[in-house]
Amino acid sequence: MSTNAPTQTDPDTGEELHDVRLHVNGIVHQVRIPGRRLLSDALRHDLGLTGTHVGCEHGVCGACTVLLEGKPVRACLMFAVSAAGQELTTVEGLAAPDGRLGPVQQAFKECHGLQCGFCTPGFLTTITAGLRDNPDPTEDEAREMIGGNLCRCTGYQNIVSAVCRAAEIARLEPEGEQA
């Protein structure tokens, strides 16, 4: 996590700074951050990955959900230093390397699974992980899969449809071509 470099402090806060190596979307980033910097803030402000949204700042809404070693976590509840050395995937990392939409992104587009889009990154990462655990969910299982994420616009029906459509897209794609 930290190096043996001389201790430095943030000139604004006086907090000790830590050199941290974050592995995000397959790229290694070296950042110098306070120990209390939230992962959501490090992603957005230090790395410029603004797809991770911050809604409630209490871990309730799910807008800040990212994948840590493939599992969904709330980036607003986690210190960035605790993610050092682990693989993180943000919404920016869900597309294929050639820019094609991943199955969940494509399904959201086809099924009109978003309106304002604020909650969408958290839904996309949550569903990506959920479909790895359950690649063929029923509608009830799809509802359960997204139960920890809040949307104030859609009424959820199109999101549930998108979960089922994403599973179908993933089944139709040749192995190894999924984002």
Side-chain angles (χ1 to χ4, degrees):
M1 179 181 356
S2 296
T3 65
N4 292 331
T7 302
Q8 294 189 358
T9 57
D10 183 305
D12 296 325
T13 65
E15 289 183 82
E16 182 179 344
L17 298 175
H18 301 271
D19 290 322
V20 179
R21 190 172 301 217
L22 295 175
H23 299 256
V24 185
N25 302 327
I27 300 170
V28 177
H29 301 270
Q30 186 71 33
V31 293
R32 179 168 287 153
I33 55 175
R36 297 182 334 141
R37 169 91 27 100
L38 294 173
L39 179 57
S40 55
D41 292 335
L43 292 169
R44 292 181 60 79
H45 304 296
D46 297 304
L47 302 183
L49 298 171
T50 57
T52 300
H53 293 167
V54 179
C56 67
E57 298 186 78
H58 297 286
V60 176
C61 72
C64 68
T65 304
V66 298
L67 302 179
L68 178 70
E69 299 291 336
K71 301 291 183 195
V73 297
R74 302 296 204 240
C76 76
L77 296 180
M78 182 175 181
F79 292 127
V81 295
S82 64
Q86 299 182 73
E87 185 59 40
L88 290 161
T89 305
T90 67
V91 68
E92 291 93 343
L94 296 181
D98 66 3
R100 285 181 302 115
L101 297 178
V104 179
Q105 294 166 311
Q106 183 63 39
F108 259 65
K109 179 181 174 186
E110 290 178 17
C111 297
H112 308 287
L114 65 120
Q115 285 185 23
C116 83
F118 189 83
C119 64
T120 303
F123 274 102
L124 294 175
T125 52
T126 297
I127 294 165
T128 297
L131 289 175
R132 284 188 192 130
D133 293 339
N134 182 359
D136 192 19
T138 64
E139 279 197 22
D140 285 342
E141 291 168 332
R143 288 182 194 289
E144 186 173 323
M145 188 183 295
I146 63 169
N149 291 65
L150 300 178
C151 175
R152 297 181 67 178
C153 302
T154 66
Y156 300 97
Q157 186 54 47
N158 289 353
I159 296 173
V160 171
S161 297
V163 173
C164 297
R165 176 65 180 135
E168 183 181 318
I169 292 169
R171 284 192 304 274
L172 296 174
E173 284 190 1
E175 196 66 32
E177 286 192 26
Q178 297 176 20

